[in-house]
Amino acid sequence: MGLAGGAGALARFLLDALVSERLGSGFPWGTFAVNVSGAFVLGVVAGSTLHGDALVLVATGGLGSYTTFSTWMFESHRLGEDGQSWLLLANVALSVAAGLAAVALGRTL
């Protein structure tokens, strides 16, 4: 569990940094990319034949440390504090919609 969690956290850090570097910091694209990709992988895992301890290890250990609700909410709150209400609403709405679509697509695959 510790190795899966460590790998997930490292992958999150690397993808967030890569996306943020390329797209800038006006909108939290890094966190968006991490959470949507994590939702997609969770959908794939949920639709797979994985079960028992393997499912818990991947879904909870790996994906639980890869995705980040707290950073998403912190960045949303920061957008609101900075007076960027439209970006706040866009971040919440896009993240929820894209995340649900990603889970559905992953599960279908």
Side-chain angles (χ1 to χ4, degrees), residues 6-20 30 34 65-66:
L10 181 59
R12 173 185 51 183
F13 174 77
L14 293 173
L15 180 61
D16 188 337
L18 178 72
V19 171
S20 295
V34 164
S65 66
Y66 175 72

Side-chain angles (χ1 to χ4, degrees), residues 10-97:
L10 181 59
R12 173 185 51 183
F13 174 77
L14 293 173
L15 180 61
D16 188 337
L18 178 72
V19 171
S20 295
E21 179 182 309
R22 293 220 161 104
L23 298 179
S25 62
F27 185 84
W29 289 113
T31 301
F32 178 81
V34 164
N35 286 340
V36 172
S37 63
F40 173 76
V41 174
L42 183 59
V44 170
V45 169
S48 74
T49 59
L50 216 57
H51 64 281
D53 289 343
L55 178 63
V56 171
L57 182 64
V58 172
T60 304
L63 292 172
S65 66
Y66 175 72
T67 58
T68 174
F69 179 80
S70 60
T71 301
W72 174 53
M73 283 292 98
F74 173 76
E75 290 172 341
S76 296
H77 181 76
R78 183 182 46 88
L79 289 169
E81 282 184 336
D82 292 345
Q84 299 177 336
S85 299
W86 287 110
L87 286 179
L88 162 64
L89 293 172
N91 188 36
V92 171
L94 286 174
S95 294
V96 170

